[in-house]
Amino acid sequence: MRTIRYRDALREAIREEMTRDTSVFIMGEDIEDPFGGSYKVTKGLSTEFGKERVRNTPISELAIAGAALGAAITGMRPIAEIMYLDFTTLSIDQIVNQAAKIRYMSGGQVQVPLVIRTQEGSGNSSGAQHGQCLEAWYAHIPGLKVVMPATPADAKGLLKASIREDNPVVFIENKMLYNIKGEVSDKDEVLGIGKANIIREGQDVTIVSYSRMVHESIKAADSLLEEGISAEIIDLRTIAPLDIDTILRSVAKTHRLVIAHEAVVNGGIGGEVAARVIKEGFDELDAPIERVGSKASPLPFSPLLEKEIVCDFNDIVTAVQSIIPNAKEVTI
Amino acid sequence: MNEQICFYRQMLRIRQFEQKAISLFEKGELPGFLHSCIGQEAVAVGVCSALEKKDYLFTTHRGHGHVLAKGMDMKRMVSELYAKSTGSNRGKGGSMHIMDVSVGVLGANGVVGAGIPMASGTALSSKMKKDGRVTVAFFGDGASNTGAFHEGINLAAVWGLPTIFLCENNKFSESTSVKNHQRVERISERAKAFGIPGIHVDGMDVEAVAKAAANSVVRARNGEGPTLIEADTYRFLGHYLGDQVEYRNEDEHAEWVLKDPIVQIEKHLEQAGLLNEELKKNLIQEIDAEIDNAVDYAVNSADPHPNEAMDHIFV
Amino acid sequence: MTTPVIIQKMGQQMESGTITEWFVNDGEQVIMDDPLFSMETDKLEVEVTAPASGHIKVLHAEKVEELPVGEVVAYIYDEEESEEETHQVNQVAVTSGEESKPIKNENTSITKEIVTGASKVNSPERRIIASPYARKLARQYQLDLSEMNGSASNGRIIAQDILAFIEKQEKKKKSSVSVSDQAASKDVNDGTNAFPLSPMRKAITKTVEQSARTIVPVTITKSVQVDKLVSLREELKEEGYAISPNDFIIYAVSRSLKKFMTFNSVFSQDQVRQYQDIHIGFAVAVDDGLMIPVIRHADKKSLSEIADGRKWLVEGVRDQKLTNEYFEGGTFSISSLGNYDIDSFSPVVYPTQAAILGIGSIQKQPVVNKNGNLEVGHVLSLSLVFDHRVNDGKPGAELLNDIGSKLENPIKLII
């Protein structure tokens, strides 16, 4: 175990997988050295593995995704880096109409070991076209797995798992997490896609979250503890497939649920989680389900306005308080 | 068999197949859409004559000719049109997504131009693995205006990938004449924008197509990068079956019908003494028998089991 | 047209009924007013008749104890329509997306509110708002949500309300545990034989428990010499009028009460509510307990009217012919053990009243007459039990003296 950054954990995963398997390669805009990628995840890799396996592309998001798909169905295990999740809107035909469906449409003639690596998130005044959280779009598409790690350890373990996965994975990082540090195994640890992680146990309320909002949830839980509210925090880690069982087990214990994500509330993953819990855990609910997310607005440039739009731990605290009528109350 | 007779036979086979498919569709036996490639047989046959079985091919919604010429088993193909479990895609693709990895057919596509970047990807695969394969991406004049065309070919050009981008200029993007959807006269001229060779060829002349394709394949296998070929051809029927073609210029149509690639090669072969009525009759009967056999096979095949609906997808 | 057969409410107090016997079989054709089944409530046994003609679909064929009021026990489908067709009609109405026309199945018009997991039906007026988890707990612990108040927004009952309710109940139970309770809660091998309570005993239990919980009883007793009443009764008998001492007492009480209306009252929610009318209930012993039919407007009835009415009611009780309405609305009660050679006793005040008069036997006793000599006289003991929250001893004594003087001098009864 060492303490390394999220960014370095991702690079380690790519490096280890490229070393292990020569069919693994990475392509994307500006990923080669000396630039090493917009967020420097691939820094050093082209020097280490050569420009054949660490490929700079033209600014052609559709071709990046399409070519990666073509390579994936003919025996390679490509990682396609799309610089911003916002720019996957330019790749979306290849991701949604092609990659997600080709295995099914062909009656199982091909597998699609493709990773679309990208990142999302607000927090640095990147504005309306460089910080959107569009993960729910991809989670909605049958045939895509959507992985969203919150910690360096998960970033490494899940990226390795995604590279070894035979279905297309949309792997969404968060730009504000690249510098966070955490303990990461130096062993070949591969995590399971589709498994949530209970990162803190609690009794009074379940906070389901993923990606950057996990860290806000932790802050919220610390603050709630001072009021005598003990929150259980679940990091989904993968939003498709959804680990509903872990959520249901937790709700059966706490009987209250808050879902927090940076994406806007309407049409978000929170709605899906809520619907599943209402159906499958109806009798366990003792309060309305609260969803915390950003306001339905494009992201503003102004740091002040950005803070206004994007949710944070305060919103989570408020949501929890709103469904626990008396903070000091003993729960069953 | 003489190569030209082979071309003729293969083109005839595609024509008869399409006619059969039309009659089956009109009888309501085939679900979904049907896009006929009648009039464009020379392009499919000419290009595929330059390919090996291992080579990859991406086709379009109008792809029956391409996949037959590439060597796809007709029984599995008809079964797929019938949405049967014995279909190449087990009834999950249909005409518009027909795929047969065993002969390198990596799929027809319902999205115009979408096969182009994928073709760059399979060619990248071949280049990285040095497996000697080339990839052909078929597409139409309409696709040459998509982002996928420009991004996909440019990427292959930049990376020197073994790809042949084969544009069948059949004069229509759905109902819009090519004259109204682009300013350049020749789509092959667009190759200049990517810094790769652009070849224009008479798409009604199977031998001309075969020659152009063969040259491009050699270039690709030699690691000299991609080629854009524009084959000038004509879509004899509507966009899909049932299209009333009100938009068609009948003079233009009549002019092109006179250039029917099958009629042309028949004349040529007859003049050369290589084809007579008896051989022609035999060929037609032989092809009819193959088609009838394939249709019988499909009709007598089982439907997919409802349980298979959720196969080939994770939940 | 489908007509539901439901457990009908046959009295204000009625909460449930037990079907003891079906007279028709499932699927049989029935004609309107045909008897369908016999039903036992806490007060009576009745025959329930068909509300419509058609063939019947019986939902509760076996004997089911205590079906809640409003529970559908059968449907009657008219000739043109089968059970399936009804469902189809519903589906068509739903799926066709037409403007909602009233669906002919009256089943849908029954307002039901599931209160607990035991499908208890609440009165339609109050919709109970509770979280799904609270409902689950209520089912688990067999609690009635209608007895609870919700602490969450909108008055929603949530888990903590259930918990608080359970805690409160347990405290209550602990404080009221008596020696006999402890014995009863022991294992079955404690030398006792257990007998489940009949609906009537349950009702009596509930009533007297409620009385004991709420009413603060005070008893005052008075002996009255009723020689004149006895001889008057003999004379009337000779004239062909059968008037029992109880009829005189009801008559006397109804007249006296008009002067002492605070005894014709009930203590309810921190206030005394005085009844405007005087309806005298009187206890009638039956095999398994007792019932209290009511003589309505007794103060406005003549002695013979009271006598005839009382006789009719007693027979009705014995023959189990009375519907619930004859047991409702009493404002004051009389209980007599006169036939059982009892000197005196203090009965339990009915929870919705403020007083009850207990009557002993008329006994021959030595009495001192107005001349100071001993003689044998007929003596009757009267015990007035009243709710001390409503009345004190003095008005109680005045009421009892008033009744006593009327009985001692029946001539006063005609004034």
Side-chain angles (χ1 to χ4, degrees):
Chain A
M1 282 290 177
R2 308 133 304 146
T3 299
I4 59 171
R5 290 183 198 280
Y6 186 90
R7 169 190 294 116
D8 302 324
L10 291 164
R11 186 186 306 118
E12 249 182 39
I14 298 168
R15 181 188 290 122
E16 285 176 19
E17 292 306 299
M18 285 183 73
T19 306
R20 187 186 62 82
D21 181 350
T22 54
S23 67
V24 178
F25 73 100
I26 182 162
M27 58 195 274
E29 294 159 12
D30 309 298
I31 65 170
E32 287 176 11
D33 291 335
F35 193 70
S38 270
Y39 285 91
K40 311 300 173 196
V41 172
T42 53
K43 185 122 181 130
L45 293 179
S46 69
T47 305
E48 186 176 347
F49 293 98
K51 294 186 178 184
E52 182 75 1
R53 293 181 68 198
V54 181
R55 291 180 166 262
N56 262 5
T57 65
I59 298 180
S60 302
E61 283 81 10
L62 182 61
I64 295 169
L69 171 59
I73 61 172
T74 48
M76 301 301 282
R77 303 191 86 87
I79 305 164
E81 179 176 311
I82 305 287
M83 201 182 284
Y84 286 83
L85 180 59
D86 314 68
F87 305 164
T88 66
T89 57
L90 297 156
S91 327
I92 212 159
D93 170 56
Q94 289 295 331
I95 299 172
V96 171
N97 290 327
Q98 314 297 336
K101 296 173 173 59
I102 193 164
R103 180 181 151 215
Y104 186 86
M105 284 196 302
S106 70
Q109 293 183 67
V110 291
Q111 296 194 318
V112 188
L114 164 67
V115 181
I116 305 282
R117 251 195 68 237
T118 184
Q119 56 82 27
E120 67 169 32
S122 61
N124 60 353
S125 278
S126 44
Q129 298 171 340
H130 286 72
Q132 295 171 83
C133 299
L134 305 174
E135 64 269 15
W137 286 8
Y138 293 108
H140 185 64
I141 304 300
L144 295 179
K145 297 193 173 182
V146 183
V147 176
M148 302 192 68
T151 66
D154 286 354
K156 184 177 177 187
L158 286 168
L159 183 52
K160 286 169 77 83
S162 300
I163 292 168
R164 297 185 195 187
E165 168 68 42
D166 285 332
N167 288 289
V169 176
V170 179
F171 190 94
I172 306 174
E173 298 149 18
N174 185 293
K175 65 172 71 68
M176 301 310 285
L177 294 179
Y178 283 126
N179 282 330
I180 66 159
K181 286 181 176 173
E183 284 198 342
V184 177
S185 167
D186 43 13
K187 299 201 183 75
D188 182 27
E189 271 189 15
V190 182
L191 295 171
I193 293 175
K195 288 199 176 66
N197 188 20
I198 300 173
I199 59 171
R200 180 184 294 192
E201 296 203 2
Q203 300 300 319
D204 300 329
V205 61
T206 300
I207 301 173
V208 168
S209 183
Y210 56 87
S211 194
R212 189 173 72 78
M213 273 299 129
V214 169
H215 303 279
E216 295 294 311
S217 299
I218 293 169
K219 271 194 235 172
D222 288 342
S223 155
L224 287 163
L225 206 55
E226 287 167 21
E227 298 175 35
I229 297 172
S230 128
E232 178 146 310
I233 304 173
I234 293 178
D235 176 3
L236 287 178
R237 304 199 285 193
T238 302
I239 58 167
L242 193 62
D243 183 359
I244 193 69
D245 291 340
T246 297
I247 300 169
L248 288 172
R249 272 196 299 276
S250 177
V251 172
K253 180 169 80 169
T254 65
H255 307 293
R256 297 184 186 94
L257 175 62
V258 171
I259 308 139
H261 49 58
E262 191 179 332
V264 293
V265 172
N266 49 308
I269 289 300
E272 176 64 18
V273 172
R276 295 284 298 272
V277 171
I278 287 167
K279 179 167 166 56
E280 295 165 51
F282 183 73
D283 284 335
E284 301 300 339
L285 287 170
D286 199 32
I289 296 172
E290 278 291 328
R291 289 185 292 161
V292 174
S294 295
K295 295 194 177 85
S297 157
L299 286 167
F301 163 66
S302 148
L304 189 138
L305 294 180
E306 189 182 54
K307 220 169 157 348
E308 197 58 36
I309 295 298
V310 179
C311 58
D312 65 10
F313 76 97
N314 283 311
D315 299 297
I316 301 173
V317 167
T318 307
V320 169
Q321 285 168 335
S322 78
I323 57 168
I324 300 187
N326 181 349
K328 305 285 181 214
E329 203 64 47
V330 186
T331 54
I332 292 180
Chain B
M1 206 187 283
N2 176 286
E3 192 192 36
Q4 286 173 314
I5 293 287
C6 283
F7 286 163
Y8 172 60
R9 187 187 174 284
Q10 190 67 284
M11 285 160 68
L12 209 52
R13 184 169 170 258
I14 294 167
R15 175 74 53 96
Q16 283 173 232
F17 180 91
E18 288 294 71
Q19 283 165 343
K20 183 71 178 181
I22 289 166
S23 80
L24 291 172
F25 187 85
E26 284 173 343
K27 276 190 244 166
E29 296 206 15
L30 308 179
F33 309 111
L34 200 67
H35 304 93
S36 165
C37 71
I38 286 178
Q40 303 174 209
E41 296 89 344
V43 184
V45 172
V47 170
C48 290
S49 72
L51 299 177
E52 293 175 24
K53 188 180 174 187
K54 68 175 183 181
D55 293 327
Y56 297 132
L57 182 152
F58 286 89
T59 177
T60 69
H61 56 288
R62 203 176 305 287
H64 295 173
H66 307 144
V67 301
L68 281 170
K70 187 70 173 62
M72 185 171 178
D73 174 47
M74 196 189 280
K75 290 204 290 286
R76 296 180 64 218
M77 190 178 164
V78 180
S79 297
E80 188 57 29
L81 301 191
Y82 266 93
K84 295 298 181 95
S85 63
T86 50
S88 53
N89 305 36
R90 296 166 187 254
K92 286 178 167 171
S95 168
M96 209 151 44
H97 304 292
I98 203 147
M99 184 160 168
D100 185 355
V101 172
S102 69
V103 294
V105 173
L106 295 183
N109 212 302
V111 179
V112 168
I116 298 170
M118 288 162 74
S120 299
T122 55
L124 173 62
S125 225
S126 296
K127 188 179 186 215
M128 291 179 78
K129 291 196 286 188
K130 300 183 173 62
D131 63 12
R133 289 176 158 115
V134 301
T135 299
V136 174
F138 282 97
F139 53 91
D141 45 294
S144 74
N145 296 319
T146 65
F149 169 90
H150 294 273
E151 289 193 13
I153 298 179
N154 184 57
L155 189 71
V158 168
W159 287 346
L161 303 176
T163 330
I164 289 95
F165 296 103
L166 202 296
C167 179
E168 288 180 285
N169 183 349
N170 70 5
K171 308 297 174 284
F172 295 102
S173 71
E174 198 151 341
S175 73
T176 304
S177 166
V178 67
K179 291 171 191 151
N180 295 328
H181 66 62
Q182 57 195 48
R183 197 53 68 215
V184 288
E185 185 116 348
R186 297 251 177 264
I187 290 165
S188 54
E189 287 173 28
R190 288 183 161 169
K192 281 184 198 156
F194 310 120
I196 60 168
I199 297 169
H200 177 261
V201 66
D202 178 0
M204 305 309 249
D205 179 348
V206 66
E207 288 186 77
V209 175
K211 203 173 153 198
N215 289 339
S216 305
V217 168
V218 169
R219 251 182 65 80
R221 289 207 213 281
N222 286 344
E224 292 167 56
T227 306
L228 173 61
I229 301 175
E230 176 190 12
D232 225 356
T233 181
Y234 196 78
R235 194 185 75 200
F236 282 14
L237 301 177
H239 168 56
Y240 52 79
L241 220 61
D243 181 356
Q244 299 302 307
V245 295
E246 306 94 327
Y247 51 83
R248 191 162 73 189
N249 179 322
E250 291 305 329
D251 292 342
E252 183 191 70
H253 181 251
E255 199 179 302
W256 277 98
V257 167
L258 289 176
K259 299 180 193 168
D260 185 327
I262 295 175
V263 173
Q264 280 195 52
I265 196 168
E266 263 177 11
K267 272 188 195 156
H268 177 75
L269 288 168
E270 277 164 8
Q271 280 165 9
L274 293 168
L275 182 68
N276 55 35
E277 277 307 309
E278 198 192 340
L279 178 56
K280 191 176 163 185
K281 210 174 111 191
N282 286 345
L283 282 175
I284 290 173
Q285 277 177 355
E286 196 185 296
I287 293 165
D288 275 343
E290 186 196 4
I291 293 171
D292 289 346
N293 188 29
V295 172
D296 276 353
Y297 176 84
V299 168
N300 292 315
S301 289
D303 287 325
H305 191 277
N307 289 350
E308 292 172 35
M310 289 304 286
D311 282 352
H312 313 117
I313 188 81
F314 60 84
V315 187
Chain C
M1 169 95 180
T2 307
T3 311
V5 181
I6 61 169
I7 298 290
Q8 271 184 336
K9 200 169 172 78
M10 299 200 169
Q12 265 184 335
Q13 306 270 322
M14 176 174 163
E15 285 174 359
S16 63
T18 297
I19 297 175
T20 51
E21 190 189 354
W22 277 96
F23 305 124
V24 294
N25 294 317
D26 189 18
E28 220 173 273
Q29 283 290 324
V30 298
I31 294 167
M32 192 164 156
D33 293 328
D34 270 357
L36 293 180
F37 57 86
S38 69
M39 178 176 75
E40 199 175 89
T41 73
D42 52 8
K43 294 253 174 68
L44 68 159
E45 175 102 22
V46 289
E47 269 182 17
V48 175
T49 55
S53 302
H55 70 264
I56 189 161
K57 166 82 188 159
V58 174
L59 303 179
H60 286 295
E62 319 85 312
K63 174 171 171 165
V64 183
E65 302 241 284
E66 300 194 5
L67 292 162
V69 167
E71 178 86 359
V72 179
V73 296
Y75 287 108
I76 295 172
Y77 299 94
D78 68 10
E79 279 71 20
E80 293 80 38
E81 196 180 27
S82 71
E83 185 190 352
E84 286 73 21
E85 281 164 354
T86 312
H87 287 281
Q88 279 167 7
V89 168
N90 282 347
Q91 279 171 3
V92 169
V94 172
T95 53
S96 66
E98 287 170 15
E99 284 204 14
S100 59
K101 292 173 187 161
I103 294 166
K104 276 195 168 181
N105 188 345
E106 288 186 2
N107 180 19
T108 56
S109 70
I110 295 171
T111 314
K112 271 195 182 180
E113 173 65 17
I114 306 300
V115 177
T116 69
S119 302
K120 194 174 147 95
V121 176
N122 193 34
S123 70
E125 295 87 47
R126 188 189 159 202
R127 202 176 92 79
I128 288 173
I129 302 172
S131 78
Y133 183 51
R135 285 177 192 272
K136 180 187 164 187
L137 288 174
R139 284 198 297 275
Q140 232 165 44
Y141 293 100
Q142 297 195 327
L143 301 173
D144 185 347
L145 288 171
S146 65
E147 293 172 17
M148 294 173 212
N149 292 317
S151 64
S153 62
N154 211 12
R156 190 190 304 112
I157 299 167
I158 58 174
Q160 68 183 34
D161 302 320
I162 305 266
L163 186 74
F165 185 83
I166 292 170
E167 266 179 11
K168 211 165 88 186
Q169 279 199 326
E170 275 176 0
K171 263 184 213 156
K172 213 185 270 172
K173 217 189 278 171
K174 267 179 208 153
S175 63
S176 68
V177 167
S178 66
V179 178
S180 64
D181 280 345
Q182 284 168 352
S185 67
K186 273 191 190 161
D187 196 73
V188 278
N189 293 324
D190 61 354
T192 64
N193 293 322
F195 296 96
L197 297 180
S198 68
M200 186 190 289
R201 283 247 60 89
K202 266 186 203 166
I204 293 171
T205 304
K206 208 169 145 186
T207 305
V208 297
E209 276 179 358
Q210 197 185 337
S211 177
R213 268 204 308 276
T214 56
I215 285 174
V216 185
V218 175
T219 308
I220 52 176
T221 304
K222 180 182 175 66
S223 293
V224 291
Q225 198 178 342
V226 290
D227 296 307
K228 287 174 188 166
L229 188 79
V230 170
S231 55
L232 178 59
R233 187 177 164 233
E234 292 299 320
E235 279 172 46
L236 287 167
K237 202 173 180 179
E238 278 166 27
E239 296 293 324
Y241 296 103
I243 312 284
S244 87
N246 286 336
D247 299 327
F248 283 106
I249 295 167
I250 292 166
Y251 187 89
V253 165
S254 65
R255 267 58 182 181
S256 296
L257 272 180
K258 285 166 88 169
K259 288 188 276 178
F260 298 92
M261 285 298 272
T262 54
F263 290 86
N264 196 57
S265 308
V266 63
F267 188 89
S268 170
Q269 292 170 349
D270 292 333
Q271 54 180 331
V272 175
R273 305 180 69 84
Q274 204 170 92
Y275 295 115
Q276 288 166 355
D277 297 321
I278 295 171
H279 305 312
I280 308 288
F282 63 98
V284 179
V286 293
D287 283 351
D288 191 30
L290 64 92
M291 308 199 74
I292 309 179
V294 174
I295 296 178
R296 303 181 70 77
H297 299 290
D299 60 318
K300 297 190 174 97
K301 286 191 162 78
S302 70
L303 188 59
S304 65
E305 279 172 340
I306 285 175
D308 289 347
R310 195 184 60 82
K311 193 169 164 234
W312 186 85
L313 286 170
V314 170
E315 279 168 8
V317 167
R318 302 253 149 91
D319 298 343
Q320 299 188 2
K321 275 184 184 160
L322 298 186
T323 53
N324 267 13
E325 60 191 297
Y326 292 101
F327 299 96
E328 283 168 0
T331 60
F332 184 97
S333 294
I334 291 171
S335 180
S336 170
L337 289 175
N339 294 338
Y340 303 96
D341 197 22
I342 291 298
D343 294 348
S344 72
F345 74 107
S346 353
V348 172
V349 180
Y350 202 78
T352 57
Q353 298 170 12
I356 187 168
L357 188 67
I359 320 268
S361 315
I362 295 176
Q363 291 171 337
K364 287 180 185 164
Q365 282 181 7
V367 291
V368 179
N369 67 18
K370 57 185 175 187
N371 301 324
N373 300 322
L374 269 179
E375 61 176 38
V376 174
H378 291 86
V379 176
L380 174 65
S381 171
L382 302 175
S383 303
L384 180 71
V385 185
F386 58 89
D387 189 345
H388 205 339
R389 294 174 303 174
V390 184
N391 287 292
D392 300 325
K394 180 169 170 279
E398 285 168 357
L399 171 63
L400 198 52
N401 282 331
D402 197 77
I403 295 166
S405 75
K406 284 189 169 74
L407 294 175
E408 284 184 334
N409 300 294
I411 189 99
K412 287 185 179 171
L413 291 175
I414 57 174
I415 294 164

